Amino acid sequence: MMTERSFTQTVGGQRRRRTGGVMDSGSAASARRRAELVAQAARAHVAGVDLLRALDVLDDLEDADEIEQTPSDEIRIVDGQLAILGGVLRECLLDQGRDHRPDQVVEVSQALHEIHTVRFAIHDHVGHERLRRLDRLDRGLRRLRTVTDQDELLAMVCEVAADAGGFDRVMLSRVDEETWRPWRSHATTMGETERAFRDWIRDVPGIRLSHMLLESELVRRREPAIVLRADDDARVYGPMAQASGLTSYVVAPILSGERVIGLLHADNRDAEVVELDRDILWFFAIGFAQVFERAVLLARLREQRSQVMEAMRSVDAVLDDLATSAIDLTRRDEAAVVVSRNAPPVGIERPQALERVLTSREFEVLTLMATGATNERIAQRLVIATGTVKSHVKQILRKLRVENRAEAISQFLRLTIGARED
């Protein structure tokens, strides 16, 4: 697609990519093997077509022009061409209306054997290539699983996706309701085009997701997609393609439950993407979503744990202060007033929401309830009758509009700790 230090090589009609003059050894070996198979397939195809001509079979076929087409240099397409040619040869061999000489039967059988041999080798190569890519992907995801900080994950996701998926460029976008926001990118080699694209990402505003955009389709269907010709696809967002020099690319959604929260775009320099690239990016997006969700949940748990521990320390301080308050020779109801004045809830601010509905005594009772204290325990701490505690508890439940003590305690902790929007 670009850059100063990248160039292409044509091997068996397949464009290979190099970065900085060095090509991944696995990719280089795969490209050589692919080129060999394409060449073998072409020879088998030409031999099969020549044999059909010699047997005067092509003239009787409606799709003769398609069969005689020049073999493709794309390995999956040439495999399909061989499948069609093999089917015609097999029908020719089984046709009872044709009187073939023994030597012709041998030639057709040999041609079929060669076609099946090449097709088996193609399928074997494609399978091994997929396993190699998946193994590389797994190594990249293992690297992400060691990280538990969500900011660090977001900072490294594009680079890891490029390395694990075998891509030259990766872009991360956020999806917020009906808006698509290109956010971060990574390129294995920084050239003029990459720098211009990075500036475009920094300056581009949020893009409204319309029904015409490919990204809108991804958000709706929650599935990956492949674009083979960006200049001819009406769904492609033109400014992005122009800024990046895209020719073909793959894109996959990042899911949180059923909701799309982001997108990953990826492409290769000077090489068209294939279906395997789409699948690899999709598998990476699924793995990253799980790792990122875990990091977010861990962060929330750490924060909540810290707040709960702080609340418990404050409650403990209240209990200590109540337990160590001075005792005077007074009646029980007078002593309760003294305790109330001398032992305010230390460290727990009384939220306005509770201040409007609860009295000071009810707030003290609710504070002690939050520690798990029974009515008898609360009565001892506040030096009041158990029946009085029950009356306070009943009023607290009514005023907070809850059914039981557990719900009242939950509401108390939420309001005193301080609810925060995620």
Side-chain angles (χ1 to χ4, degrees), residues 249-268:
Y249 64 94
V250 290
V251 54
I254 300 172
L255 300 176
S256 176
E258 295 296 316
R259 187 169 65 93
V260 176
I261 60 174
L263 299 172
L264 284 171
H265 291 68
D267 69 331
N268 291 320

Side-chain angles (χ1 to χ4, degrees), residues 107-180:
E107 289 178 354
V108 173
S109 300
Q110 289 176 340
L112 276 171
H113 173 74
E114 181 62 23
I115 287 173
H116 288 310
T117 299
V118 174
R119 292 195 64 207
F120 178 82
I122 288 175
H123 296 169
D124 182 67
H125 170 74
V126 170
H128 279 81
E129 176 66 8
R130 188 178 185 87
L131 290 175
R132 186 185 69 83
R133 295 281 299 274
L134 288 173
D135 182 65
R136 182 173 178 178
L137 174 67
D138 185 61
R139 291 197 300 271
L141 289 175
R142 283 204 303 269
R143 177 182 170 190
L144 290 180
R145 293 188 191 106
T146 63
V147 180
T148 58
D149 182 78
Q150 63 191 78
D151 293 336
E152 186 177 350
L153 282 172
L154 291 173
M156 64 190 296
V157 58
C158 290
E159 179 183 355
V160 175
D163 180 63
F167 300 109
D168 289 326
R169 292 191 308 182
V170 175
M171 180 181 75
L172 172 67
S173 305
R174 291 182 291 188
V175 175
D176 181 16
E177 294 181 353
E178 296 298 319
T179 305
W180 161 41

Side-chain angles (χ1 to χ4, degrees), residues 296-315:
V296 171
L297 291 177
L298 286 175
R300 291 177 180 176
L301 287 172
R302 286 192 294 265
E303 181 67 19
Q304 291 298 318
R305 182 178 183 275
S306 175
Q307 292 181 2
V308 169
M309 292 300 294
E310 182 63 30
M312 291 300 100
R313 283 193 292 269
S314 299
V315 171

